[in-house]
């Protein structure tokens, strides 16, 4: 006579409890991985957005350094550079210690936000 495995043939539901725990662990793992994926996707989107703003500021800054002489700089001077990713408006500010700062106002094509950066010019 064959011996039967008692775990599979008793009617007390002992095996069902283990199956429920395994399914719960699997569902929790899937939920954790999906939330982690969505968070990583949002972080990458924000990093790309930040890189685009930095790229616009660097392109405008380098273009301004090539085109504008230090003699032309006044507090009322303003230049607008239009790039495919957005528009950058440049103005200048002189401080009391004779340092010249460039003000960059960056507006991307897809966004309503305007970012402002201050850098020393020369």
């Amino acid at each position: 006579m064959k011996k039967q495995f008692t775990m599979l043939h008793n009617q007390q539901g002992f095996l069902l409890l283990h199956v429920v725990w395994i399914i719960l662990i699997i569902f929790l793992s899937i939920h954790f991985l999906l939330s982690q994926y969505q968070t990583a996707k949002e972080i990458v989107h924000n990093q790309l957005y930040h890189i685009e703003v930095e790229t616009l500021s660097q392109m405008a800054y380098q273009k301004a350094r090539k085109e504008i002489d230090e003699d032309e700089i006044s507090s009322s001077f303003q230049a607008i550079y239009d790039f495919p990713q957005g528009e950058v408006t440049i103005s200048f500010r002189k401080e009391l210690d004779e340092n010249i700062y460039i003000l960059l106002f960056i507006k991307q094509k897809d966004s309503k936000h305007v970012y402002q950066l201050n850098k020393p010019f020369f």
Side-chain angles (χ1 to χ4, degrees), residues 89-112:
T89 305
I90 292 179
S91 61
F92 293 96
R93 183 182 74 210
K94 288 188 180 181
E95 293 289 325
L96 295 174
D97 56 354
E98 297 300 320
N99 288 338
I100 300 171
Y101 289 94
I102 184 170
L103 302 172
L104 302 163
F105 298 97
I106 303 165
K107 177 153 181 7
Q108 290 179 302
K109 295 271 186 205
D110 302 336
S111 177
K112 295 178 184 177

Side-chain angles (χ1 to χ4, degrees), residues 42-102:
E42 188 174 326
I43 288 171
V44 167
H45 175 71
N46 290 340
Q47 285 177 337
L48 289 175
Y49 193 74
H50 179 72
I51 288 170
E52 191 171 299
V53 169
E54 280 293 319
T55 303
L56 282 171
S57 70
Q58 287 296 323
M59 288 190 306
Y61 182 74
Q62 292 301 322
K63 200 169 189 179
R65 284 191 61 151
K66 287 180 184 175
E67 293 178 358
I68 301 169
D69 291 332
E70 194 172 342
D71 300 333
E72 296 178 20
I73 296 174
S74 68
S75 59
S76 63
F77 183 82
Q78 189 172 9
I80 298 173
Y81 296 113
D82 194 24
F83 298 108
Q85 298 90 358
E87 182 179 284
V88 181
T89 305
I90 292 179
S91 61
F92 293 96
R93 183 182 74 210
K94 288 188 180 181
E95 293 289 325
L96 295 174
D97 56 354
E98 297 300 320
N99 288 338
I100 300 171
Y101 289 94
I102 184 170

Side-chain angles (χ1 to χ4, degrees), residues 7-22:
M7 236 187 228
L8 294 175
H9 293 287
N10 65 359
Q11 301 296 319
Q12 297 173 358
F14 184 70
L15 186 63
L16 183 62
L17 183 62
H18 289 290
V19 171
V20 168
W21 277 107
I22 291 172

